[in-house]
Amino acid sequence: MTNTLIFVDLASDDPAAAGKFYAEVFGWENDARPEGIYHRMVPGGFFQHKDGSDSQIGNLHLGIFDAANARPHPDPAGVEPRHIATSGRKPRIWILIGDEDSADRILAAAAERGATILWRDHYWKEFNGYNHAFADPWGNEILLWGKAGENPQIPADYTRE
């Protein structure tokens, strides 16, 4: 068995607020473990087979940790740094837009809750997808991926690469 990616964590200076943000924007379960210290965002559902049926593999979860005292750590008081990164490149998190949802709804919901829209309406031919991006209120960059499908009709106002 190969090494398996099981989780990605985002830093926040308010994990409870970040958990609420992601629950409201994406409809995920906000599993506080414990409240304000670490929040596990549970999208629910399963990865699908090529025929569209559910596999036995559950969708990945996203963690949100308190930058002031990142848990787990052997030192109960935590260690430096105790703040969220504010400059330079940080990891980007990709979210596949569900078939019942839209980039417009997600971007509007995120902006209403303090996110900054970074860009929208871009087509990436290499992976045949429509892309949009926002920074959450804690500076984490979230990229939205929409399936373009076979023979995509790219809107004229979309940028392309």
Side-chain angles (χ1 to χ4, degrees):
M1 179 171 176
T2 62
N3 297 315
T4 303
L5 175 66
I6 59 168
F7 237 82
V8 174
D9 286 343
L10 298 178
S12 173
D13 56 6
D14 188 346
K20 181 178 179 191
F21 175 89
Y22 283 97
E24 292 176 350
V25 170
F26 291 112
W28 297 341
E29 177 189 345
N30 179 8
D31 182 20
R33 300 180 70 172
E35 176 78 26
I37 305 292
Y38 190 88
H39 287 244
R40 180 178 70 153
M41 304 311 300
V42 183
F46 296 87
F47 282 99
Q48 294 185 339
H49 295 291
K50 288 185 180 187
D51 68 3
S53 64
D54 285 344
S55 74
Q56 294 179 331
I57 303 168
N59 284 320
L60 299 176
H61 299 173
L62 175 74
I64 301 170
F65 69 94
D66 185 355
N69 189 353
R71 310 305 318 150
H73 191 277
D75 182 345
V79 295
E80 295 294 336
R82 295 182 185 276
H83 60 276
I84 53 179
T86 56
S87 65
R89 280 278 174 216
K90 295 191 280 183
R92 302 184 307 171
I93 307 302
W94 289 84
I95 306 295
L96 177 64
I97 301 166
D99 293 339
E100 309 80 36
D101 211 343
S102 72
D104 289 337
R105 192 218 51 87
I106 293 169
L107 292 170
E112 287 170 10
R113 290 160 177 81
T116 302
I117 306 303
L118 300 175
W119 47 269
R120 61 186 318 146
D121 302 340
H122 180 72
Y123 174 71
W124 194 7
K125 182 179 180 181
E126 184 69 27
F127 292 98
N128 191 30
Y130 301 121
N131 308 142
H132 321 269
F134 67 86
D136 73 11
W138 302 272
N140 298 297
E141 192 171 342
I142 308 301
L143 281 79
L144 303 177
W145 184 272
K147 300 173 191 171
E150 271 189 52
N151 303 313
Q153 303 299 309
I154 297 99
D157 61 336
Y158 271 50
T159 55
R160 303 159 192 239
E161 68 178 281

